[in-house]
């Protein structure tokens, strides 16, 4: 099932494709009206087909982009400091560690004032 964001993105891309196709048809009519030979009319028709194909290609590229956005995770799977202590060197003695004495995502230990 499509997500709402993907569906709206696809709808807007489809509308953009329809506008581009409509523009290509209008431009073809204008070129055919100005054409004096049959070859110029064929050329105008081929240009229209190329513009329609370009619009369809852009539609499919946009759909791929929307699907990729849907499939990418919201957060990376591995975040520095969340359960992993990269600053700790196992070769060092516990008192020589470069990591803080508390977990990076936790609050520091409270100060004990007597």
């Amino acid at each position: 099932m499509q997500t709402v964001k993907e569906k709206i993105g696809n709808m807007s891309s489809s509308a953009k494709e329809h506008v581009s196709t409509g523009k290509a048809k209008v431009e073809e009519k204008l070129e055919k009206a100005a054409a004096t030979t049959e070859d110029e009319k064929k050329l105008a028709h081929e240009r229209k087909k190329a513009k329609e194909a370009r619009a369809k290609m852009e539609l499919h590229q946009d759909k791929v982009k929307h699907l990729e956005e849907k499939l990418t995770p919201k957060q990376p799977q591995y975040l520095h400091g969340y359960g992993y202590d990269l600053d700790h060197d196992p070769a060092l003695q516990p008192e020589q560690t470069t990591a803080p004495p508390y977990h990076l995502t936790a609050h520091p230990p409270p100060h004990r004032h007597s």
Side-chain angles (χ1 to χ4, degrees):
M1 178 163 242
Q2 289 182 323
T3 60
V4 174
K5 183 179 178 184
E6 179 190 4
K7 196 169 192 173
I8 290 173
N10 288 345
M11 288 171 51
S12 67
S13 297
S14 179
K16 191 167 81 171
E17 187 237 348
H18 285 291
V19 168
S20 297
T21 302
K23 280 176 150 179
K25 287 179 182 179
V26 169
E27 289 173 3
E28 178 198 19
K29 287 182 181 182
L30 290 173
E31 284 184 45
K32 279 187 173 183
T36 55
T37 65
E38 191 63 33
D39 290 336
E40 289 176 345
K41 290 180 182 181
K42 286 181 183 176
L43 185 62
H45 181 70
E46 292 299 322
R47 282 190 185 128
K48 179 194 82 144
K49 285 173 40 176
K51 288 177 184 178
E52 287 176 345
R54 187 176 303 121
K56 189 168 280 295
M57 179 192 64
E58 289 172 359
L59 168 69
H60 290 295
Q61 286 176 342
D62 288 345
K63 282 186 174 184
V64 167
K65 184 180 75 170
H66 299 147
L67 188 59
E68 285 175 345
E69 287 174 359
K70 174 185 168 187
L71 295 177
T72 55
K74 301 280 189 269
Q75 295 178 346
Q77 296 297 318
Y78 172 75
L79 294 173
H80 177 67
Y82 288 88
Y84 299 97
D85 198 358
L86 296 179
D87 294 331
H88 178 71
D89 185 1
L92 298 175
Q93 296 300 322
E95 61 274 356
Q96 295 176 323
T97 183
T98 60
Y102 54 90
H103 194 271
L104 294 175
T105 60
H107 294 287
H111 297 287
R112 305 274 184 211
H113 296 289
S114 16

